[in-house]
Amino acid sequence: MASEGRRGIAAGGNWIIDHVKLIDAWPAQETLANIVGQCSGTGGAPYNVLVDLHRMLAPFPLTAIGVLGRDPDGDAIAEDMRARGIASRFRRSDTRATSFTDVMTVQSTGRRTFFHNRGANAELSPADVPLDELNARILHIGYLLLLEGMDADDPDYGTAAARVLAGARERGIRTSVDVVSEASNRFQGVVTPALPHVDYLICNEIEAGRIVGIDIRVDDRLDRGALPRAARALLDLGVNEAVVIHVPEGGFAMTAAGEEAFRPSLTLPPGYIQGAAGAGDAFCAGFLLGAHEGWPLERRLTLAVCAAAASLSDPTCCAGMLPVEELLALGERYG
């Protein structure tokens, strides 16, 4: 697949306003927890990845693709893209509000739980992705399993998302996909048809394991040996260039050629972690920047884990992100 002459990253899928509540503890049902802080921020794979890349000072164009409601949240997202100089290919829905998520983040651990309103994102379809007008080198779509229109059946490709990804690759655009952590049995039916049209599958260990039926984390402990087994199984299902799995302990990648790499997470000081809501998308943004620039696999993972660490410094998804050189310096500082 030739991508010469193309430049930039386009990202489409879930556009969300996150309403983040910092709570003192996770309550049992019918009991009380205290909200000790709150703020609003970006949410959803394309929104977080593009803002992170912008804050990293990515040296290439960025493009936003999605469906927003005709409401203040939608206006805020569109204005945010304009202010950052990110090209927008938004459609505005006349019937659905802009999607939002209430994010409950436990103060002491950074662990978060999401209460989501799918809103206008449910309408995203192949017609909303202007493949013939994109000059991007990489198209990132996320999150599969959380986009009704893109998860819908397609008679030729299995799903609508698979149709979009196949069309992108036919035009010389590399493709990247992320998946939502859903407690369901839909992974094989929705995610698997897309994999032969995906160049970079970037997801966490729960999502990777559910696609291929391998437990990567057992009793909350990481099985390091399961990472390459799951990655190889995903490559066998059709992923073209690399499977990238992020875990709290670090990041693992395996290429179709058999190259493997693991980079551990940074050793962060007590009190550093303020929230983990954007860590996965930050990791993804770091890896994609390195992929766009043709970096070696280990250097891509190094930037990815540093970006995830920076994201942890703030309860919102993107406010902790730093320019690339500062991210790499963060890795040098904390090891």
Side-chain angles (χ1 to χ4, degrees):
M1 181 183 67
S3 59
E4 291 80 3
R6 291 186 170 275
R7 190 164 173 266
I9 293 177
N14 295 96
W15 290 86
I16 302 166
I17 294 294
D18 275 352
H19 302 293
V20 182
K21 278 85 170 175
L22 198 62
I23 59 177
D24 59 354
W26 184 254
Q29 235 177 335
E30 299 188 19
T31 65
L32 180 141
N34 294 297
I35 297 173
V36 297
Q38 59 184 330
C39 56
S40 294
T42 63
Y47 201 171
N48 292 338
V49 167
L50 290 175
V51 171
D52 282 339
L53 288 168
H54 176 263
R55 294 179 69 94
M56 289 179 191
L57 306 182
F60 44 75
L62 305 172
T63 303
I65 300 167
V67 184
L68 308 176
R70 297 185 183 277
D71 51 32
D73 279 350
D75 293 342
I77 292 172
E79 173 57 24
D80 191 17
M81 294 297 98
R82 187 202 65 76
R84 296 179 189 276
I86 297 174
S88 296
R89 299 301 183 99
F90 289 132
R91 176 168 66 83
R92 304 299 285 265
S93 171
D94 292 317
T95 58
R96 293 179 184 247
T98 301
S99 175
F100 68 89
T101 301
D102 287 337
V103 183
M104 304 300 174
T105 302
V106 178
Q107 186 177 32
S108 60
T109 65
R111 300 291 292 272
R112 72 267 194 231
T113 303
F114 306 96
F115 297 86
H116 181 60
N117 181 332
R118 299 194 177 196
N121 289 326
E123 295 184 7
L124 184 71
S125 73
D128 295 308
V129 186
L131 294 175
D132 289 328
E133 301 171 25
L134 292 180
N135 195 42
R137 185 174 297 170
I138 299 173
L139 171 65
H140 180 63
I141 299 291
Y143 310 102
L144 299 188
L145 295 170
L146 198 59
L147 293 162
E148 283 93 329
M150 299 296 270
D151 295 338
D153 291 341
D154 182 278
D156 299 316
Y157 292 89
T159 67
R163 174 179 289 277
V164 170
L165 296 163
R169 297 191 80 249
E170 289 168 1
R171 291 162 174 80
I173 304 172
R174 285 188 169 87
T175 58
S176 169
V177 157
D178 195 0
V179 181
V180 77
S181 294
E182 178 181 274
S184 78
N185 59 1
R186 297 196 304 140
F187 283 79
Q188 288 77 23
V190 173
V191 181
T192 301
L195 297 184
H197 314 292
V198 171
D199 291 299
Y200 310 111
L201 174 65
I202 305 172
C203 59
N204 67 29
E205 78 277 24
I206 297 170
E207 297 148 1
R210 285 183 176 162
I211 297 169
V212 295
I214 294 175
D215 291 327
I216 299 175
R217 189 170 293 279
V218 180
D219 296 329
D220 206 33
R221 295 181 61 185
L222 177 67
D223 180 354
R224 283 284 298 271
L227 285 170
R229 292 199 304 273
R232 173 49 58 192
L234 289 161
L235 288 163
D236 290 344
L237 287 173
V239 177
N240 290 277
E241 291 200 30
V243 170
V244 188
I245 304 173
H246 54 86
V247 297
E249 295 85 355
F252 173 83
M254 178 184 285
T255 69
E259 181 184 1
E260 296 182 26
F262 181 86
R263 298 297 291 173
S265 297
L266 276 58
T267 304
L268 301 171
Y272 179 96
I273 297 176
Q274 298 299 309
D281 289 326
F283 179 99
C284 178
F287 186 89
L288 288 178
L289 189 151
H292 183 282
E293 298 298 276
W295 290 4
L297 188 64
E298 285 201 3
R299 183 169 170 81
R300 298 181 196 182
L301 285 176
T302 297
L303 182 61
V305 297
C306 291
S311 174
L312 294 172
S313 69
D314 192 271
T316 63
C317 289
C318 300
M321 193 50 59
L322 301 167
V324 168
E325 294 306 317
E326 294 183 38
L327 291 174
L328 296 174
L330 194 70
E332 292 291 330
R333 183 181 316 143
Y334 292 125

